[in-house]
Amino acid sequence: MSKHHARAARREREAAAALGSKRVYRSRYESAPDVAPITLPSGHVLSVEVKTRARLPVLLTSALEQAAGYAPEAIPCAVLSETGGTALLVLPLAAFAAIVGVSPANEVDHGE
């Protein structure tokens, strides 16, 4: 397994653990979700795709930093959209898990 694939698999396991789910193991080029679907206490089902990049877009990270600066005790989140497109809410994964009431399978370490 290449270093890139190993890192991607680790991030998939971390995301699954943070959301109280499991990583989906698949063969290369097989189409399947990264994380087993998650049924929230509300009954809604999440389909999770995990992406990792060397750097996230500055628009995203600076919006979260700006939100955190306004109220350090609050959960920072950002609403982003393309002109005329669907609005997306971005917030820290651990905060999302706490908000929707899913229990992490174990502690997640985001260090490289």
Side-chain angles (χ1 to χ4, degrees):
M1 179 182 282
S2 73
K3 185 176 180 178
H4 170 77
H5 292 296
R7 181 176 47 238
R10 188 184 78 235
R11 292 295 187 183
E12 290 170 4
R13 285 190 304 274
E14 290 172 345
L19 294 168
S21 186
K22 299 286 183 196
R23 176 176 180 253
V24 173
Y25 292 91
R26 60 199 178 278
S27 61
R28 194 158 182 180
Y29 306 114
E30 179 184 355
S31 181
D34 293 333
V35 175
I38 301 156
T39 302
L40 301 177
S42 66
H44 292 90
V45 178
L46 296 180
S47 175
V48 180
E49 182 67 20
V50 179
K51 298 293 184 193
T52 301
R53 297 292 180 266
R55 296 197 63 161
L56 292 174
V58 172
L59 171 69
L60 185 125
T61 57
S62 64
L64 289 174
E65 288 171 7
Q66 187 175 356
Y70 293 137
E73 71 286 355
I75 296 170
C77 59
V79 177
L80 307 170
S81 63
E82 295 177 336
T83 302
T86 301
L88 305 174
L89 177 69
V90 179
L91 68 158
L93 179 59
F96 173 79
I99 289 167
V100 300
V102 294
S103 299
N106 56 39
E107 195 64 33
V108 178
D109 177 17
H110 292 290
E112 289 297 320

